[in-house]
Amino acid sequence: MFGKLAIAALSLTTLVSAHYTLPSLIINGSPTEAWANVRKTNNFNSQAPVTDVTSTDLRCYTSETGATASTVSVAAGSTIGVQANGPMYHNGVINVYMAKAPGDVASWDGSGTVWFKVHEIPAVTNGGSTITFPGTNIQSFTFKIPSSLPSGQYLIRTEQIALHSASSFGGAQFYISCGQVEVTGGGNGTPGPLVAIPGVYTGNEPGILINIYYPIPTNYIQPGPAVWSG
């Protein structure tokens, strides 16, 4: 009996600790090698999330690894994507931000009011009867680089915000990665609104501090600025 209980406890511990990382971009329809074009995050082994929205780890989650990556070329107007190392099974939403480096993106930390949102996958509500999460139980997603985005080197930052424990402050879990891309054939658009990361969230936003179970939310407000589509 004791052995069965020990096995059950071990299985539960494994389930609780088995989160996910976002180590690959999707270029030309195929995922890149893990951590090749994405900076290796602190949680590459633990898979633990960021929960402090004031931490600099909310930006690229590399305070311990100090990682950079290889920069991959993508055309403005093309479709790219992000792939996790397994299904993102926690109920949550997705935001993708970009920021243009002042020079070589490999030596830039993304500090300053420089980030703009290019994609989001919000929750879907119907007035209080149900809430669903299209950004959950998927391993990858794709989106379009705006055609008018100026050419240059960029960080492309992805976050899945898991909301299963978000009913108390600091309970939302952020699964984060930063890829490095060089946008070619760009236009003369002016991305915005621009935000700083950290700084974009206080943790009290209704889309971050939220009980998704009861009462079922009548609507959902996606955290962060509006998407810039060019």
Side-chain angles (χ1 to χ4, degrees), residues 2-196:
F2 177 80
K4 290 182 179 180
L5 289 173
I7 291 172
L10 179 60
S11 298
L12 180 60
T13 300
T14 301
L15 179 64
V16 169
S17 63
H19 299 304
Y20 33 87
T21 60
L22 309 171
S24 300
L25 298 179
I26 298 173
I27 306 295
N28 297 323
S30 299
T32 61
E33 181 182 347
W35 311 120
N37 304 117
V38 174
R39 296 178 176 182
K40 183 177 285 189
T41 46
N42 294 353
N43 67 338
F44 71 96
N45 275 327
S46 71
Q47 303 187 79
V50 175
T51 56
D52 180 1
V53 298
T54 68
S55 168
T56 55
D57 273 330
L58 189 71
R59 189 182 304 145
C60 289
Y61 204 3
T62 56
S63 63
E64 297 173 7
T65 64
T68 61
S70 297
T71 303
V72 62
S73 180
V74 298
S78 66
T79 296
I80 70 169
V82 177
Q83 180 164 298
N85 67 336
M88 295 180 282
Y89 61 86
H90 286 311
N91 285 334
V93 299
I94 290 172
N95 288 319
V96 181
Y97 293 84
M98 294 183 71
K100 188 176 184 182
D104 181 6
V105 69
S107 60
W108 186 53
D109 66 356
S111 58
T113 306
V114 292
W115 295 91
F116 54 96
K117 191 192 290 185
V118 293
H119 185 66
E120 64 183 19
I121 306 178
V124 177
T125 60
N126 61 358
S129 297
T130 63
I131 182 170
T132 58
F133 298 92
T136 296
N137 286 324
I138 59 174
Q139 188 169 352
S140 64
F141 63 91
T142 60
F143 59 96
K144 182 180 178 181
I145 298 288
S147 299
S148 62
L149 184 68
S151 298
Q153 295 194 359
Y154 289 81
L155 286 173
I156 183 163
R157 175 189 172 277
T158 303
E159 62 182 17
Q160 198 237 18
I161 310 174
L163 300 172
H164 59 291
S165 300
S167 58
S168 59
F169 183 83
Q173 298 179 354
F174 292 77
Y175 296 90
I176 296 165
S177 72
C178 282
Q180 296 177 193
V181 298
E182 179 162 9
V183 174
T184 61
N188 58 0
T190 305
L194 299 178
V195 297

